[in-house]
Amino acid sequence: MLFSPKGRLGIFFLLAAAGLYLFACAGTPKKEQPYEIDVGFCISCHQERTPGLFQSWVESKHAKNGVHCITCHIDHQAASEQKSMVLPEKCGECHRKQLEEFKKARHSISFERMRIQGEYLGIPQEIRAAFCERCHMVEKRCNSCHSSHRFSLKEARDPDACSTCHLGPDHPYKEMYETSLHGTIYKMTQNPERAPRCITCHMPGGSHNSSFGIARGPAGTRSPVVDLKEIPISKEEQERRRAEMLNVCTGCHSRRFAQEQLENADQVKEAGFFLQEEGKKAIEEIAREGLLYPSVAERMPHPTEGRALVLADPQLYVGTSYMERLFFTMFKFHTIRVWKSGYHFSPAYTHGYGWTEMQLDLIDIREESEKLRELFKKEK
Amino acid sequence: MLFSPKGRLGIFFLLAAAGLYLFACAGTPKKEQPYEIDVGFCISCHQERTPGLFQSWVESKHAKNGVHCITCHIDHQAASEQKSMVLPEKCGECHRKQLEEFKKARHSISFERMRIQGEYLGIPQEIRAAFCERCHMVEKRCNSCHSSHRFSLKEARDPDACSTCHLGPDHPYKEMYETSLHGTIYKMTQNPERAPRCITCHMPGGSHNSSFGIARGPAGTRSPVVDLKEIPISKEEQERRRAEMLNVCTGCHSRRFAQEQLENADQVKEAGFFLQEEGKKAIEEIAREGLLYPSVAERMPHPTEGRALVLADPQLYVGTSYMERLFFTMFKFHTIRVWKSGYHFSPAYTHGYGWTEMQLDLIDIREESEKLRELFKKEK
Amino acid sequence: MLFSPKGRLGIFFLLAAAGLYLFACAGTPKKEQPYEIDVGFCISCHQERTPGLFQSWVESKHAKNGVHCITCHIDHQAASEQKSMVLPEKCGECHRKQLEEFKKARHSISFERMRIQGEYLGIPQEIRAAFCERCHMVEKRCNSCHSSHRFSLKEARDPDACSTCHLGPDHPYKEMYETSLHGTIYKMTQNPERAPRCITCHMPGGSHNSSFGIARGPAGTRSPVVDLKEIPISKEEQERRRAEMLNVCTGCHSRRFAQEQLENADQVKEAGFFLQEEGKKAIEEIAREGLLYPSVAERMPHPTEGRALVLADPQLYVGTSYMERLFFTMFKFHTIRVWKSGYHFSPAYTHGYGWTEMQLDLIDIREESEKLRELFKKEK
């Protein structure tokens, strides 16, 4: 029966079907198109090999809405090329509005800006990941704020989500917030109707443009806020942003009160930068007197500024003179407190941790100037 | 019909009623007595213009008990004279007992005492609000602890209510509490039966005399606690206060244990002040040798002490010599830790952040003395 | 009737019963055997005298399982000999497994090791309790982590239970954890399935051997982790411990990722110790040039090292030269951050608080070397 005409036709079709099946399973050569794999294929390993990660995904809204491993990671080949990172552009295939807003904010240029900073370039390459990259990677990772694989909105909205990066000696915003009345009441009540959290003022309405409302730069109108191309924004744009921030404040406060508070913060910032200028002038004088050592000529050139005296960003904390080291602490750790804590309403960071420290820095810098002059005058 | 006798009488009464109505609405001239306004008049604007503030009031016990805008703020004129602040005397019209207790505590003289401090006088006037005033305003604002307009008792009782001001480099009490076992257990359990919070020891039974139980001053019997008139309290009063604090401790602990702990804290304090004295002596010696620069004569006089070497309160952090700057950090930021952390049972603040730092300060001060002598001996 | 035969027998039995009763109440002479007392005897006083303590015990699992005052404290005599402390050996009578595990960990030698440290010996005896002992007492007190008398498992498992001691300038592990993503997510969710807490990595499965998985010592293979007898562990033991720690990480992460992170932390540690070595060499040079003052010969001998230049543990913070004081801050407060924060994944503590501070320390140390050479060269 098998080799009758009907039998042979049957065998032919059987073989053809088997061939088609094998072809379908084998898929196409890797580099031309992704495997036709089922997410069950991923789960069969990962449920056991990375159980915590898997469990987080199971509890997420993604899982409930059919967004799974393959949606974001595609396959092992594509994933390993990115070290399992999923770039914002991928997230934006569904979350288009958020991606557009994100692209207007400084978060979206944080990695590229970091890579050209002298400080970063001075850190041994093998350890950079643990230093600046872990936070500046926000440019390439939506999961910096929405921790994977749970991607919880509740967690992303919590001030602690921002705190993971926005803290520390050179940008103690978490610390300022937590030592303000806003932060204290939010901590006690966990109620954004009672007190603002970070996103209330910085990402109102869930906007992913976290540069919202930032109107004033380091030193008022002399050095206004810059846009993503590093071009200072216009006076009109400054006022527009200040107005949009005031709209947030008046959710709770009277316009008069809010305006007064923000203008007072402007004045505090100006006062802080005035002190910083005093410190800078003292060092420039000593440099002119040829008393800095090692001198600029005697040291390794700055990675981006070459053989120049660099005070304030992008000043290094390596290989400079002691005078510059004193100024480093002043501008990097102390000015930032006076500057930003007025706006975050933290008395401790404005006064004791900020202004007082800057005044002590000035005594240190002036003292060192006198010592250098005394030490080296006999040599003249 | 209108001008018939009945008609004219009707018109008369109509006009009289209209007149009376207008009179009621217009009220009386401002300066002689408050407008007869209904709180609905306030709400009609503020529900929309300051919605968060309004919502807080709606949820408060005040609202439930008929205490509204007019009760405390009276009207726009009176409110704007106080920049919307409501003074404790106004709160005391209902909360009489709390006001009486409050008037016995140092909180009730905090603003007046701040205004005569050299440090405060040295801060540019336009920025003082952001610095010391925000906290020292407690003298004039019951809402420093009972945040308006919710005035929640639960929030006022939380350690975080005190933390908003009682923190920072010169009075890190929040930090000490949070790094003690008391603070840790309270944080974990939120149960004042398990561990004390600030008010347990400092305002027992809800007493608003927050100077309760403070028996020992900066350096034991040589400089005891002072009363509100700055007069040292008697030995009997010291012992009475120590006994009243022990009554709080024995809510959980045995009397022997509590007494031992507080006496040990007394010794820790004495040890800290001994170190501070060593630092002070070294500077006084250098001053006698004429090696301080700028010398007292060469600098701007102290706002309250004139041309005098001021070491420890009210020492400034501006315009002094480097030696004094070293001592500033010691007395202002470090002694306070050794002094107070024994009483708050924080090992980290007693040792690493306190005692160790004071010992390092002494090395710095002695080193600077040697350097000055070496630098200037050839000039003699 | 009383003196009839039956009456006399009755009186006899009455007296005998009374005698037996008195005998039972009086118990036996103290030193030979504990009083036969009922816990009701303890409660009748302590419910009133130490109510908080009593209430904690009432709510504990101990109380529900018939473990009461006498079980652990025996009686007043035995208790007062220990100042009411209950040693681990007593707890181990029931909790045998935990005691055995505890005896393998460094916690179990913390008090004895503290007692021979130069730093500790340099602290005035009457204040040592408030300084190092409060934490190092963990060797003798199970209630360091399981706070008495509630002995709550939930509280002991919380990161805050560890934080009470594992914090502060010389071992800021709480601070590192809280500024890492692990700590942040745990804080937000309180869910150990989402993020690890201290015991997840350090005491997995509730093991009381808290030295679990610590594979790398201060400077890699040159100075590996030591065992409880201070003998460096073998390379094989290092790799076994690293593997056991990786097993914890892979509860959530892929093996590749976890291995990479831990190896990166090894590199960060090596980099930090390289900087510390630079600082050490600079001071050794200055010492060889005879420029350290006070010199080793001129100062009080080190309590354990005698007349020797001691750099890094067990270096003192008292009575040394200024150069050594600069190095003290470097090794004691800064190296530890770079070393341990890689493993706790805290960018702030790795970079800003750690690496940056170490680089600034190096500038300070080199500056001081130059100043000393300049100051004293004319004397040669």
Side-chain angles (χ1 to χ4, degrees):
Chain A
M1 276 288 284
L2 202 60
F3 292 102
S4 67
K6 276 188 185 163
R8 286 198 296 266
L9 198 62
I11 286 165
F12 169 72
F13 278 116
L14 202 63
L15 288 171
L20 273 167
Y21 177 77
L22 284 171
F23 181 73
C25 284
T28 48
K30 276 192 185 145
K31 286 195 163 71
E32 271 108 35
Q33 93 193 48
Y35 278 112
E36 289 293 326
I37 46 175
D38 189 77
V39 72
F41 182 67
C42 314
I43 291 173
S44 62
C45 273
H46 283 281
Q47 184 169 8
E48 206 183 289
R49 291 198 187 178
T50 58
L53 196 145
F54 169 76
Q55 191 57 35
S56 290
W57 170 75
V58 160
E59 294 167 5
S60 72
K61 254 189 169 176
H62 276 167
K64 293 170 179 51
N65 286 284
V67 176
H68 51 62
C69 320
I70 299 166
T71 321
C72 307
H73 292 288
I74 305 166
D75 57 27
H76 274 175
Q77 171 85 5
S80 70
E81 280 162 13
Q82 300 283 1
K83 294 197 120 190
S84 306
M85 262 179 16
V86 176
L87 298 176
E89 286 68 22
K90 169 60 73 176
C91 307
E93 285 176 9
C94 296
H95 304 281
R96 184 182 309 264
K97 175 172 176 291
Q98 286 82 353
L99 180 67
E100 277 170 20
E101 289 164 351
F102 175 75
K103 290 291 189 188
K104 293 178 186 164
R106 292 194 73 82
H107 274 170
S108 68
I109 58 170
S110 63
F111 197 81
E112 290 315 311
R113 299 277 293 124
M114 169 198 74
R115 284 184 12 131
I116 58 173
Q117 281 288 326
E119 235 184 82
Y120 173 79
L121 296 167
I123 296 167
Q125 198 163 358
E126 59 278 8
I127 58 175
R128 284 176 187 165
F131 285 49
C132 319
E133 290 181 9
R134 214 183 270 288
C135 288
H136 280 260
M137 198 63 85
V138 66
E139 176 183 327
K140 308 190 180 202
R141 306 183 66 139
C142 294
N143 71 343
S144 295
C145 307
H146 303 268
S147 183
S148 51
H149 290 69
R150 185 69 175 74
F151 295 103
S152 154
L153 254 185
K154 182 171 191 266
E155 287 170 28
R157 289 171 171 159
D158 193 293
D160 282 314
C162 314
S163 291
T164 319
C165 297
H166 287 274
L167 61 85
D170 46 342
H171 34 57
Y173 310 143
K174 160 190 159 103
E175 294 88 327
M176 291 175 196
Y177 172 69
E178 289 182 351
T179 55
S180 73
L181 198 56
H182 284 162
T184 303
I185 296 181
Y186 186 79
K187 181 183 174 193
M188 287 198 272
T189 61
Q190 296 292 302
N191 181 358
E193 306 285 316
R194 284 277 283 131
R197 43 193 176 178
C198 312
I199 60 168
T200 311
C201 305
H202 293 293
M203 298 172 67
S207 164
H208 279 60
N209 177 5
S210 51
S211 295
F212 170 89
I214 309 291
R216 304 280 183 257
T221 52
R222 285 182 288 124
S223 178
V225 171
V226 294
D227 63 17
L228 298 194
K229 294 185 174 55
E230 305 303 318
I231 296 165
I233 62 176
S234 66
K235 271 222 89 182
E236 293 72 28
E237 176 62 10
Q238 282 188 53
E239 294 319 310
R240 191 195 67 75
R241 292 188 184 193
R242 174 52 58 90
E244 79 183 355
M245 184 61 90
L246 275 169
N247 281 343
V248 173
C249 310
T250 51
C252 295
H253 299 290
S254 76
R255 183 158 294 267
R256 172 199 66 75
F257 177 80
Q259 196 139 350
E260 210 174 83
Q261 294 292 319
L262 288 182
E263 282 168 9
N264 189 242
D266 293 337
Q267 286 179 308
V268 168
K269 171 176 58 94
E270 293 291 336
F273 274 95
F274 177 79
L275 289 189
Q276 184 178 299
E277 266 306 298
E278 295 290 294
K280 192 167 178 236
K281 281 187 221 165
I283 299 174
E284 286 168 343
E285 249 183 75
I286 284 293
R288 278 194 296 273
E289 294 171 37
L291 293 175
L292 274 191
Y293 66 93
S295 69
V296 167
E298 291 169 313
R299 68 178 83 151
M300 264 183 53
H302 188 286
T304 57
E305 311 303 302
R307 293 200 179 280
L309 178 63
V310 182
L311 296 172
D313 275 328
Q315 183 179 341
L316 301 179
Y317 51 70
V318 181
T320 67
S321 67
Y322 183 63
M323 290 267 323
E324 291 160 86
R325 171 265 191 272
L326 293 172
F327 185 76
F328 181 87
T329 311
M330 185 183 202
F331 97 83
K332 194 76 180 178
F333 298 154
H334 299 154
T335 310
I336 190 82
R337 295 170 185 178
V338 179
W339 172 9
K340 301 280 180 106
S341 61
Y343 298 106
H344 292 91
F345 311 107
S346 164
Y349 274 83
T350 314
H351 191 202
Y353 286 128
W355 179 265
T356 308
E357 290 289 355
M358 291 187 79
Q359 292 282 19
L360 297 174
D361 291 330
L362 272 183
I363 295 177
D364 293 346
I365 287 171
R366 286 169 179 152
E367 163 68 17
E368 181 61 11
S369 304
E370 287 311 309
K371 275 213 176 80
L372 287 173
R373 287 179 181 125
E374 196 58 41
L375 251 183
F376 292 99
K377 74 178 181 187
K378 300 171 186 67
E379 305 201 357
K380 295 181 190 170
Chain B
M1 275 289 283
L2 203 59
F3 293 101
S4 68
K6 275 190 187 162
R8 284 197 297 268
L9 199 60
I11 287 165
F12 169 73
F13 278 119
L14 203 64
L15 288 171
L20 273 166
Y21 178 77
L22 285 172
F23 181 72
C25 285
T28 48
K30 277 189 188 154
K31 286 199 164 69
E32 272 110 33
Q33 92 193 48
Y35 278 113
E36 288 293 327
I37 47 173
D38 191 75
V39 71
F41 180 67
C42 315
I43 291 172
S44 62
C45 271
H46 283 280
Q47 184 168 8
E48 206 183 288
R49 289 198 189 177
T50 58
L53 195 146
F54 169 76
Q55 191 58 34
S56 290
W57 170 75
V58 159
E59 294 167 4
S60 71
K61 254 188 168 177
H62 276 168
K64 293 169 180 51
N65 286 285
V67 176
H68 51 63
C69 320
I70 297 165
T71 320
C72 307
H73 291 288
I74 306 167
D75 58 28
H76 274 176
Q77 170 85 5
S80 72
E81 279 161 14
Q82 300 283 2
K83 293 196 124 192
S84 306
M85 263 180 16
V86 175
L87 298 176
E89 286 69 22
K90 169 59 71 177
C91 309
E93 285 176 9
C94 296
H95 303 282
R96 183 184 308 266
K97 175 172 178 287
Q98 286 81 354
L99 180 67
E100 276 171 21
E101 290 165 350
F102 175 75
K103 289 292 189 185
K104 293 178 185 164
R106 292 196 75 80
H107 274 168
S108 69
I109 58 168
S110 62
F111 196 82
E112 291 314 310
R113 299 278 294 123
M114 169 199 74
R115 281 181 18 129
I116 59 174
Q117 281 289 325
E119 232 184 83
Y120 173 79
L121 296 167
I123 295 167
Q125 197 163 358
E126 59 278 8
I127 57 175
R128 285 176 186 164
F131 285 49
C132 319
E133 290 182 8
R134 214 182 270 288
C135 288
H136 280 260
M137 197 64 84
V138 67
E139 175 184 327
K140 308 191 180 203
R141 305 183 67 137
C142 294
N143 72 343
S144 295
C145 307
H146 303 266
S147 185
S148 51
H149 289 69
R150 185 70 175 72
F151 296 104
S152 153
L153 255 185
K154 181 172 191 268
E155 286 170 28
R157 289 171 172 158
D158 193 294
D160 282 314
C162 314
S163 292
T164 317
C165 297
H166 287 273
L167 63 83
D170 47 343
H171 34 57
Y173 310 143
K174 160 191 160 102
E175 294 88 328
M176 292 175 196
Y177 173 70
E178 289 182 351
T179 55
S180 73
L181 198 57
H182 284 162
T184 302
I185 296 181
Y186 185 79
K187 182 182 175 194
M188 287 198 272
T189 62
Q190 296 291 301
N191 182 357
E193 307 284 317
R194 284 277 284 131
R197 42 192 177 178
C198 312
I199 60 168
T200 311
C201 305
H202 293 292
M203 299 173 66
S207 165
H208 279 59
N209 177 6
S210 51
S211 295
F212 170 89
I214 308 292
R216 303 281 183 256
T221 52
R222 285 183 289 124
S223 178
V225 171
V226 294
D227 62 17
L228 298 195
K229 295 184 174 58
E230 305 304 317
I231 296 165
I233 63 177
S234 66
K235 272 222 89 184
E236 292 73 26
E237 176 63 9
Q238 281 188 55
E239 294 321 309
R240 191 196 67 76
R241 290 187 184 194
R242 174 52 59 91
E244 79 183 353
M245 184 61 90
L246 275 169
N247 281 343
V248 173
C249 310
T250 51
C252 294
H253 300 289
S254 77
R255 183 159 292 268
R256 172 200 65 75
F257 177 81
Q259 195 139 352
E260 210 173 83
Q261 293 293 318
L262 289 182
E263 283 169 6
N264 189 242
D266 293 337
Q267 286 179 307
V268 167
K269 171 176 57 93
E270 293 289 338
F273 274 95
F274 177 79
L275 289 189
Q276 183 180 298
E277 266 306 297
E278 294 290 294
K280 193 168 178 238
K281 282 187 220 164
I283 299 174
E284 286 167 342
E285 248 184 75
I286 284 293
R288 279 194 294 273
E289 293 172 37
L291 293 175
L292 275 192
Y293 66 93
S295 68
V296 168
E298 290 170 313
R299 69 180 82 153
M300 264 183 52
H302 188 286
T304 57
E305 311 303 302
R307 293 200 180 280
L309 179 62
V310 181
L311 296 172
D313 275 329
Q315 182 179 342
L316 301 179
Y317 51 69
V318 181
T320 67
S321 67
Y322 183 62
M323 290 266 325
E324 291 160 84
R325 171 263 193 274
L326 293 173
F327 186 76
F328 182 88
T329 311
M330 184 182 202
F331 98 82
K332 194 76 181 180
F333 298 155
H334 299 156
T335 309
I336 190 83
R337 294 171 185 177
V338 180
W339 172 9
K340 302 280 177 104
S341 60
Y343 298 106
H344 291 91
F345 311 107
S346 163
Y349 274 83
T350 314
H351 192 203
Y353 286 129
W355 179 264
T356 308
E357 289 288 355
M358 291 187 78
Q359 293 282 19
L360 297 174
D361 291 329
L362 273 183
I363 295 176
D364 293 346
I365 288 172
R366 288 169 178 152
E367 163 67 17
E368 181 62 10
S369 304
E370 287 312 308
K371 275 210 175 83
L372 288 173
R373 289 180 179 122
E374 197 57 43
L375 252 184
F376 292 99
K377 74 178 180 188
K378 297 168 189 64
E379 306 200 357
K380 295 181 190 171
Chain C
M1 272 289 283
L2 204 60
F3 293 101
S4 69
K6 275 190 186 163
R8 284 198 296 265
L9 198 60
I11 287 165
F12 170 74
F13 278 117
L14 203 64
L15 288 171
L20 273 167
Y21 177 75
L22 284 171
F23 182 72
C25 285
T28 47
K30 275 193 184 145
K31 285 198 162 72
E32 273 108 36
Q33 95 193 47
Y35 278 112
E36 289 295 327
I37 47 174
D38 191 74
V39 71
F41 182 68
C42 315
I43 291 173
S44 63
C45 271
H46 283 280
Q47 184 169 7
E48 206 185 286
R49 291 199 188 177
T50 58
L53 196 145
F54 170 75
Q55 191 57 34
S56 290
W57 170 75
V58 159
E59 293 168 5
S60 72
K61 254 189 168 177
H62 276 168
K64 293 169 179 50
N65 286 286
V67 176
H68 50 63
C69 320
I70 298 166
T71 321
C72 307
H73 292 287
I74 305 166
D75 58 28
H76 274 176
Q77 171 84 8
S80 70
E81 280 162 13
Q82 300 282 3
K83 294 197 122 191
S84 306
M85 263 180 16
V86 176
L87 298 176
E89 287 69 22
K90 169 60 70 176
C91 308
E93 286 176 8
C94 296
H95 303 281
R96 182 183 308 265
K97 175 174 177 286
Q98 286 82 354
L99 180 67
E100 276 170 20
E101 289 164 351
F102 175 75
K103 290 291 190 186
K104 292 178 186 165
R106 293 194 75 80
H107 274 170
S108 69
I109 58 170
S110 62
F111 196 82
E112 289 315 310
R113 299 279 292 124
M114 169 199 74
R115 282 183 15 131
I116 57 173
Q117 282 288 327
E119 234 183 81
Y120 172 79
L121 296 166
I123 296 167
Q125 198 164 359
E126 59 277 9
I127 58 175
R128 285 176 186 163
F131 285 49
C132 319
E133 290 182 8
R134 212 182 272 288
C135 287
H136 280 260
M137 197 63 83
V138 65
E139 175 183 329
K140 310 189 178 202
R141 305 184 65 139
C142 294
N143 71 343
S144 295
C145 305
H146 303 267
S147 183
S148 51
H149 289 68
R150 184 72 175 73
F151 295 103
S152 154
L153 254 184
K154 181 171 191 263
E155 286 170 27
R157 288 170 172 159
D158 193 294
D160 282 314
C162 314
S163 291
T164 318
C165 297
H166 287 275
L167 62 84
D170 47 342
H171 34 58
Y173 310 143
K174 159 190 160 105
E175 293 88 328
M176 290 175 197
Y177 173 69
E178 288 182 353
T179 55
S180 72
L181 198 56
H182 284 161
T184 303
I185 295 180
Y186 186 80
K187 182 183 173 192
M188 286 198 272
T189 61
Q190 296 292 302
N191 181 357
E193 306 284 318
R194 282 278 283 131
R197 42 193 178 178
C198 311
I199 60 169
T200 311
C201 305
H202 293 291
M203 298 174 67
S207 164
H208 279 59
N209 178 5
S210 51
S211 295
F212 170 89
I214 309 291
R216 304 280 183 256
T221 53
R222 284 182 290 124
S223 179
V225 171
V226 295
D227 63 17
L228 298 196
K229 295 183 173 56
E230 305 304 319
I231 295 165
I233 62 177
S234 66
K235 273 222 88 185
E236 292 72 28
E237 176 63 8
Q238 282 188 54
E239 294 319 311
R240 191 196 67 76
R241 291 189 185 192
R242 174 52 59 91
E244 78 183 355
M245 184 61 90
L246 276 169
N247 281 343
V248 173
C249 311
T250 50
C252 295
H253 299 290
S254 76
R255 182 158 294 267
R256 172 200 66 76
F257 177 80
Q259 197 140 351
E260 212 173 80
Q261 294 292 319
L262 289 182
E263 283 168 9
N264 190 243
D266 293 337
Q267 287 180 306
V268 167
K269 170 176 60 91
E270 294 289 336
F273 274 95
F274 177 79
L275 289 189
Q276 183 178 299
E277 266 307 298
E278 295 291 293
K280 192 168 179 235
K281 281 187 221 163
I283 298 175
E284 287 167 341
E285 249 183 73
I286 284 292
R288 279 192 297 271
E289 293 171 39
L291 292 176
L292 275 191
Y293 65 93
S295 69
V296 168
E298 290 169 315
R299 68 179 85 153
M300 265 182 55
H302 188 286
T304 57
E305 311 302 303
R307 294 199 178 280
L309 178 63
V310 182
L311 296 172
D313 274 329
Q315 183 180 342
L316 300 179
Y317 50 70
V318 181
T320 67
S321 67
Y322 182 63
M323 290 267 322
E324 291 160 85
R325 171 264 193 273
L326 293 173
F327 186 75
F328 181 87
T329 311
M330 184 182 202
F331 98 83
K332 195 75 180 179
F333 298 154
H334 299 155
T335 309
I336 191 83
R337 294 171 185 177
V338 180
W339 172 9
K340 302 280 178 103
S341 61
Y343 298 105
H344 291 91
F345 311 106
S346 163
Y349 274 83
T350 315
H351 191 202
Y353 287 128
W355 179 265
T356 308
E357 289 289 354
M358 292 188 79
Q359 293 283 18
L360 297 174
D361 291 329
L362 273 183
I363 294 177
D364 293 346
I365 288 171
R366 287 168 179 153
E367 164 67 17
E368 181 62 10
S369 305
E370 287 312 309
K371 276 212 175 81
L372 288 173
R373 289 180 179 123
E374 197 57 43
L375 252 183
F376 291 99
K377 74 178 179 188
K378 300 169 186 72
E379 307 198 357
K380 294 179 191 174

